[in-house]
Amino acid sequence: MEALLLGTGLLLGAYVLVYYNLVKAPPCGGIGNLRGRTAVVTGANSGIGKMTALELARRGARVVLACRSRERGEAAAFDLRQESGNNEVIFMALDLANLASVRAFATAFLSSEPRLDILIHNAGISSCGRTREAFNLLLRVNHIGPFLLTHLLLPCLKACAPSRVVVVASAAHCRGRLDFKRLDRPVVGWRQELRAYADTKLANVLFARELANQLEGTGITCYAAHPGPVNSELFLRHVPGWLRPLLRPLAWLVLRAPRGGAQTPLYCALQEGIEPLSGRYFANCHVEEVPPAARDDRAAHRLWEASKRLAGLGPGEDAEPDEDSQSEDSGAPSSLSTTHPEEPTVSQPYPSPQSSPDLSKMTHRIQAKVEPKTQLS
């Protein structure tokens, strides 16, 4: 009996040490009042994204939930309005697997929203599931879609500077390796999916690094944020049904809740004084060093150029969209181009302008409407 009690005590003590040193997330501080500022959070209908949006709404920001599912996005927006007491939480349709949808979202957002202060790329997938495409679906959703969306929203981000872009990455980037000759090859089988997921997380870290270099001096800062080990839908989404009842209790014990996973992305979005660390990788609310492959500036620039081609931006096009790129569904030819654009869906508690001017005119209108704000960080 004494041995059993001793063993139980040792296990409990070990768990407490693991929980407080590895599982429990440090709370995010940063700016407390975000009234008058607008944030976009992708994949915000559940998990880390929803908790991130909730905290931004509680601090008074206007929050746009950019989600693929209208039903789940509308429900999440309703929940967040109720829980935060902030009526300025809205849903807008965005499918990162569909480049036409990304462009439609950008057009709808720029035509209805005068500000963008915080852009958080939270949405992502870890597996293709049963979907079979002629391209790398994980790369498109986890990197190419966010890459294109960032480019299309840059005019608004620049007009509202200082502003921030946060890319939710992962420690899996340490296992990533980019093969530029096979970057867009379809992924088949769970082994390839594991490798492709790590590759896309490496792409996230390199994207934040190169974006910071490209935007130096503009007032936009960029960060890659690792949420830590999180018990979210991404963890169990592709686990066989018979295995989920066994994993759920284990996940509850050793993984962070989504609220804990949201702390580092929130830190990167709100913490004051981290502007000199633009382009860096953060975990547990502090900057961390990354392996050589994740700080290779030549690889980052090469990925940037390859991403422009795959996103349909064209090899000679600069970081800001123009009328020509916005008037077509996919710009330059690309294996990721889509031919069935979706109509943007917007849900909001208050009416907004319904006009859809072209991007160049919108850029001038945004710059004229935006008034100087106190510094974001």
Side-chain angles (χ1 to χ4, degrees), residues 228-303:
V230 178
N231 184 12
S232 67
E233 287 188 7
L234 193 65
F235 173 68
L236 292 173
R237 183 177 299 167
H238 305 297
V239 172
W242 63 268
L243 191 57
R244 292 181 186 180
L246 300 175
L247 288 180
R248 285 187 187 279
L250 181 63
W252 184 82
L253 286 172
V254 301
L255 299 180
R256 292 175 180 172
R259 187 183 303 275
Q263 298 308 303
T264 298
L266 285 167
Y267 179 91
C268 292
L270 303 175
Q271 184 61 38
E272 299 172 296
I274 63 171
E275 293 84 1
L277 299 174
S278 182
R280 301 289 296 276
Y281 171 84
F282 285 74
N284 293 316
C285 295
H286 68 265
V287 68
E288 284 194 359
E289 292 300 325
V290 293
R295 58 176 188 267
D296 185 337
D297 286 330
R298 292 182 62 185
H301 185 71
R302 187 177 180 186
L303 175 65

Side-chain angles (χ1 to χ4, degrees), residues 134-137 139-140 144 179-187 309-310 334-336:
F135 49 80
N136 186 335
L137 182 62
L139 183 75
R140 177 191 278 200
I144 299 298
D179 183 350
F180 288 97
K181 294 181 180 179
R182 303 171 58 89
L183 202 59
D184 196 34
R185 295 275 182 93
V187 176
R309 175 178 56 82
L310 292 173
S334 167
S335 60
L336 293 183

Side-chain angles (χ1 to χ4, degrees), residues 69-361:
S69 167
R70 176 178 181 176
E71 181 180 359
R72 298 180 68 189
E74 295 272 17
F78 177 81
D79 291 344
L80 295 179
R81 288 195 293 267
Q82 295 290 315
E83 192 167 350
S84 68
N86 181 351
N87 281 330
E88 297 212 59
V89 179
I90 67 170
F91 158 77
M92 293 181 68
L94 171 66
D95 182 0
L96 289 168
N98 183 335
L99 296 186
S101 173
V102 176
R103 290 184 177 273
F105 174 90
T107 300
F109 180 89
L110 292 173
S111 66
S112 62
E113 300 292 330
R115 296 194 63 86
L116 178 56
D117 302 273
I118 302 169
L119 172 60
I120 300 180
H121 292 297
N122 165 80
I125 59 174
S126 59
S127 168
C128 299
R130 297 181 180 179
T131 303
R132 292 293 175 263
E133 301 286 359
F135 49 80
N136 186 335
L137 182 62
L138 275 85
L139 183 75
R140 177 191 278 200
V141 174
N142 294 355
H143 172 64
I144 299 298
F147 177 90
L148 176 60
L149 181 61
T150 303
H151 276 66
L152 296 176
L153 296 181
L154 275 179
C156 200
L157 284 164
K158 288 183 177 181
C160 298
S163 51
R164 293 189 179 181
V165 178
V166 180
V167 183
V168 177
S170 167
H173 79 270
C174 296
R175 304 191 304 273
R177 186 188 67 213
L178 295 179
D179 183 350
F180 288 97
K181 294 181 180 179
R182 303 171 58 89
L183 202 59
D184 196 34
R185 295 275 182 93
V187 176
V188 180
W190 66 270
R191 289 185 178 86
Q192 287 189 20
E193 288 179 345
L194 285 175
R195 184 54 180 267
Y197 176 76
D199 293 346
T200 64
K201 295 295 106 176
L202 175 59
N204 290 158
V205 177
L206 291 173
F207 171 48
R209 186 179 184 90
E210 181 65 15
L211 184 63
N213 291 334
Q214 295 277 342
L215 298 178
E216 185 175 3
T218 64
I220 306 173
T221 51
C222 321
Y223 310 92
H226 172 41
V230 178
N231 184 12
S232 67
E233 287 188 7
L234 193 65
F235 173 68
L236 292 173
R237 183 177 299 167
H238 305 297
V239 172
W242 63 268
L243 191 57
R244 292 181 186 180
L246 300 175
L247 288 180
R248 285 187 187 279
L250 181 63
W252 184 82
L253 286 172
V254 301
L255 299 180
R256 292 175 180 172
R259 187 183 303 275
Q263 298 308 303
T264 298
L266 285 167
Y267 179 91
C268 292
L270 303 175
Q271 184 61 38
E272 299 172 296
I274 63 171
E275 293 84 1
L277 299 174
S278 182
R280 301 289 296 276
Y281 171 84
F282 285 74
N284 293 316
C285 295
H286 68 265
V287 68
E288 284 194 359
E289 292 300 325
V290 293
R295 58 176 188 267
D296 185 337
D297 286 330
R298 292 182 62 185
H301 185 71
R302 187 177 180 186
L303 175 65
W304 180 275
E305 294 300 323
S307 300
K308 286 174 64 177
R309 175 178 56 82
L310 292 173
L313 290 172
E317 191 173 357
D318 59 21
E320 290 192 14
D322 56 23
E323 290 186 28
D324 293 335
S325 67
Q326 192 64 20
S327 63
E328 299 179 3
D329 285 338
S330 58
S334 167
S335 60
L336 293 183
S337 298
T338 55
T339 58
H340 304 288
E342 298 180 356
E343 289 296 325
T345 302
V346 182
S347 169
Q348 54 188 16
Y350 302 111
S352 63
Q354 298 300 315
S355 58
S356 299
D358 62 58
L359 280 182
S360 62
K361 293 179 180 177

Side-chain angles (χ1 to χ4, degrees), residues 33-54:
N33 186 355
L34 297 175
R35 294 189 184 281
R37 301 182 187 183
T38 300
V40 169
V41 184
T42 66
N45 59 274
S46 64
I48 298 169
K50 189 174 182 180
M51 292 299 101
T52 301
L54 175 61

